[in-house]
Amino acid sequence: MKPKTVGRSDGTIAVMAPMTPAGLAADSIILTLDGEKRVGDIRPGDRVITRDSGMAVVKRVDTRTITTRAVRIKAGSLGHTRPERDVTLPADQQILVRDWRAKALFGATQAMVPAARLVDGEFVTLIEECEMTLYTLGFDRTHVLYVDGLELASETLRPQAKAA
């Protein structure tokens, strides 16, 4: 009998739910149809390139400053030019892993996991507490975005409260 593991034997993406807020730093570089842009320069209506659908239109951009655990990923530590430069992400930012790590750690060909699950203490390190200003790009559904050479999950738009 095989032990139960995170992942899917059919090759679909294994997804682990985040426990705390995630988002993107303002100086992160995201791929758009107009070329590379800083996340802080993205506005509703901008079209970004996605792994899952080719292109998606940003519906909303939310910004918040929080104190959270974070993960520092050194340039090139997740593969050739992945990430392209040193990157700091919230610990629960979902990242798509599609190499040997997905198979070895999660029993799947690809897995969407919180960045904290990749901590190795040398190239991917945990920062217990730091203040971060995070941008959340809202879409009609969740997408996989190309940010700093990584494949990161967006959030799905949450319904806004209606005025009475």
Side-chain angles (χ1 to χ4, degrees):
M1 178 184 249
K2 289 186 176 181
K4 292 186 179 187
T5 59
V6 174
R8 308 281 190 280
S9 60
D10 62 1
T12 59
I13 298 175
V15 178
M16 303 179 79
M19 295 178 283
T20 58
L24 308 170
D27 63 346
S28 295
I29 302 298
I30 188 168
L31 293 181
T32 74
L33 288 182
D34 296 322
E36 294 181 338
K37 279 189 171 183
R38 289 178 59 252
V39 168
D41 295 333
I42 297 292
R43 301 290 177 256
D46 284 351
R47 299 171 303 164
V48 298
I49 298 171
T50 70
R51 175 172 172 73
D52 55 296
S53 67
M55 185 274 301
V57 177
V58 176
K59 301 292 185 184
R60 190 169 75 218
V61 178
D62 295 323
T63 307
R64 66 192 179 284
T65 300
I66 61 171
T67 300
T68 186
R69 294 176 25 198
V71 173
R72 180 92 170 153
I73 305 172
K74 289 186 180 180
S77 59
L78 297 180
H80 183 65
T81 70
R82 290 184 48 128
E84 296 170 349
R85 61 192 178 110
D86 290 356
V87 173
T88 302
L89 299 171
D92 285 317
Q93 173 60 53
Q94 298 283 307
I95 184 169
L96 180 62
V97 180
R98 301 186 292 123
D99 60 4
W100 63 268
R101 288 170 192 83
K103 190 69 168 170
L105 299 173
F106 309 106
T109 56
Q110 52 187 357
M112 187 67 75
V113 299
R117 292 290 307 267
L118 301 175
V119 170
D120 63 13
E122 185 176 351
F123 300 104
V124 183
T125 55
L126 183 65
I127 303 167
E128 281 300 329
E129 188 174 296
C130 72
E131 186 172 286
M132 298 183 80
T133 299
L134 300 176
Y135 286 72
T136 303
L137 306 181
F139 300 93
D140 290 334
R141 64 181 182 91
T142 303
H143 290 285
V144 177
L145 310 173
Y146 295 105
V147 181
D148 289 327
L150 297 172
E151 296 167 327
L152 305 178
S154 71
E155 290 188 16
T156 305
L157 274 179
R158 294 180 194 97
Q160 295 197 3
K162 294 183 180 181

